[in-house]
Amino acid sequence: MPNERNALVTDIRRFNRFYTSWTGLLDETLTQSAYTLTEARVLFELDNRPGAIAAHPSGEAGFLARTFHLDIGPEASAMAAELNLAPAYVARILRKFAGAGLIEMRVDPNDRRRRVLALSTRGNAALAGLQAAADRDLGRLTAGLAGDEAAELSDALRKVMRLLGGPVEEKMVGALPK
């Protein structure tokens, strides 16, 4: 059994090297944009998390709220934890986004006492550009696959996610790579 696990680890590492090279994830920026993969993922999360990084009426300020100098609640730390990132790193990214006009504070439509951090019009445009470039690049990389091969690859990707306990949901379609 240990030899089988060692072989599995070797296979996973080999696949990771192949995939990161094949998709260009080791490039300094994602899809030749101004954003790193991590920054692109934070943009994606801000757009796809309902009520992301909200300020609570209680006024509680977590680490990111104090660091970012905005009334940001504990949800920001939750996003950092879910992405396996240091909260200080997420705070730097959010500061960069704020400086570039990519994010803004809005009134929470579900609770007018709360404010939520959301993508601005400029942030939505940046995310749309990133997703279009990622779709284009992945489309180009898979263009040589016949229809049945594309279906087989799609099934294999869903199976890997299922076996490793990841979400296999419709909302993941079009998501930037994690």
Side-chain angles (χ1 to χ4, degrees):
M1 194 66 115
N3 286 337
E4 290 174 11
R5 292 295 170 178
N6 290 341
L8 175 60
V9 168
T10 299
D11 288 343
I12 291 170
R13 292 175 55 95
R14 183 181 306 117
F15 175 80
N16 284 342
R17 288 189 302 276
F18 162 77
Y19 181 75
T20 55
S21 176
W22 181 71
T23 58
L25 292 178
L26 296 179
D27 295 343
E28 192 163 319
T29 60
L30 183 66
T31 65
Q32 300 163 352
S33 72
Y35 308 102
T36 65
L37 175 61
T38 304
E39 291 168 344
R41 181 60 189 265
V42 170
L43 271 177
F44 177 81
E45 290 299 325
L46 284 169
D47 189 53
N48 287 281
R49 291 170 62 98
I53 310 180
H56 290 279
S58 68
E60 294 175 30
F63 171 79
L64 286 177
R66 294 186 304 274
T67 304
F68 194 54
H69 304 294
L70 285 175
D71 192 15
I72 300 172
E75 288 87 349
S77 293
M79 184 197 320
E82 287 174 24
L83 295 175
N84 294 316
L85 298 172
Y89 185 35
V90 173
R92 283 193 305 276
I93 291 171
L94 293 175
R95 257 192 248 104
K96 176 182 177 178
F97 289 173
L102 300 176
I103 56 176
E104 61 191 15
M105 293 294 281
R106 296 183 185 155
V107 173
D108 183 345
N110 298 321
D111 183 351
R112 300 200 52 79
R113 297 172 299 166
R114 291 170 38 117
R115 311 267 301 155
V116 294
L117 190 61
L119 294 181
S120 64
T121 301
R122 181 180 284 172
N124 281 312
L127 179 61
L130 283 168
Q131 290 191 311
D135 289 350
R136 180 194 65 237
D137 291 351
L138 290 172
R140 190 180 72 247
L141 289 169
T142 58
L145 296 177
D148 59 335
E149 292 171 322
E152 183 181 350
L153 177 58
S154 186
D155 290 343
L157 293 171
R158 281 194 294 275
K159 184 174 185 176
V160 167
M161 289 176 62
R162 181 183 55 78
L163 288 171
L164 296 178
V168 183
E169 306 170 9
E170 286 301 312
K171 79 175 197 171
M172 294 300 292
V173 173
L176 294 169
K178 182 172 181 180

